[in-house]
Amino acid sequence: MNTYQEMLMSGQMQLMDAGIEEIEAKSCAWILFSYCFQMSRVDFMMECLSFREMTDDDQKHYEAYLALIAKRAKGIPVQYLTHEQNFYGYDFYVAEGCLIPRQDTEVLVETVVQTVTARMALKKEPTAGTLYDLCTGSGCIAITLSLMVKWEEVVASDVSKRALAVAQKNNERYENPVTLCEGDLFEAVAMREHYFDVIV
């Protein structure tokens, strides 16, 4: 391959050959290309116009790109390949072993924020009380809510050690606003003395 454009297109064509529709193939190819080359759209356009020679580093990035394209062609979600997903304006680490945060789940966050802030205003309370997030997975719901609303405490649990490891990475990224517990549903907080004000 002689140009970035050709490199990008080669990945897109492989995805389409694997049965992925053109629009999704274009999107996935760009995300993986940008991830491997650490290149923005603007940088990509400037590089395409420069007509410079490909370097050894470019070749290494291209090989990494093709390896991810092959995995995506086998059905692995792009988020598990880049380990990134944006949720409600925040970036979260994701990996196999937990669900990928979805945009429709943002409705849950928005509903909780509207409900508790209205209650705080009505009752003139300084905090929204305590929050418990069951089956937290990546931790995206609990962490996002902890960043958007003032709580006395935010607790999140999961029965999966793999999911909790992902949640811990995200918790550390945002300076540990959530207490993480391992356990099945309410068993994780069975010894707690007080009720939660909000459960999600």
Side-chain angles (χ1 to χ4, degrees):
M1 292 292 162
N2 296 318
T3 69
Y4 286 116
Q5 184 68 39
E6 289 173 334
M7 290 178 177
L8 177 61
M9 286 297 297
S10 68
Q12 180 184 323
M13 295 306 297
Q14 286 184 48
L15 293 179
M16 290 173 64
D17 288 344
I20 296 174
E21 292 186 9
E22 184 176 357
I23 293 175
E24 185 181 352
K26 282 183 178 179
S27 174
C28 290
W30 168 251
I31 290 169
L32 295 177
F33 184 91
S34 174
Y35 174 74
C36 290
F37 283 83
Q38 292 296 292
M39 188 179 293
S40 68
R41 287 278 188 189
V42 172
D43 293 335
F44 177 74
M45 294 303 296
M46 295 301 293
E47 291 289 354
C48 286
L49 292 171
S50 70
F51 300 105
R52 69 172 177 79
E53 293 278 329
M54 295 292 105
T55 66
D56 290 341
D57 279 344
D58 288 329
Q59 185 60 37
K60 289 177 184 176
H61 296 324
Y62 181 55
E63 289 170 5
Y65 168 63
L66 290 181
L68 293 184
I69 287 289
K71 290 180 179 180
R72 179 68 192 95
K74 291 179 180 178
I76 299 174
V78 69
Q79 294 91 338
Y80 286 158
L81 300 175
T82 63
H83 299 292
E84 277 298 312
Q85 174 67 7
N86 189 274
F87 180 80
Y88 218 94
Y90 298 100
D91 290 325
F92 288 91
Y93 173 84
V94 292
E96 292 187 54
C98 69
L99 296 175
I100 297 165
R102 293 161 53 105
Q103 284 189 328
D104 54 358
T105 307
E106 293 180 356
V107 176
L108 170 62
V109 170
E110 191 170 337
T111 301
V112 172
V113 170
Q114 289 175 351
T115 302
V116 299
T117 53
R119 188 182 70 187
M120 287 167 66
L122 182 65
K123 295 187 175 183
K124 297 181 179 178
E125 295 174 338
T127 75
T130 55
L131 170 75
Y132 182 39
D133 177 28
L134 291 131
C135 311
T136 196
S138 66
C140 65
I141 294 171
I143 293 168
T144 300
L145 284 170
S146 74
L147 297 171
M148 296 187 67
V149 177
K150 186 175 182 181
W151 302 88
E152 288 177 26
E153 184 183 20
V154 177
V155 180
S157 71
D158 206 295
V159 72
S160 166
K161 291 181 185 294
R162 291 177 69 186
L164 282 174
V166 172
Q168 182 58 36
K169 277 180 176 283
N170 288 315
N171 206 28
E172 289 171 0
R173 174 182 283 189
Y174 291 104
E175 300 182 351
N176 298 301
V178 174
T179 301
L180 295 172
C181 304
E182 182 183 343
D184 187 17
L185 302 176
F186 291 101
E187 290 178 5
V189 291
M191 302 303 292
R192 186 180 174 87
E193 293 182 6
H194 305 290
Y195 290 108
F196 290 99
D197 296 290
V198 179
I199 298 173
V200 292

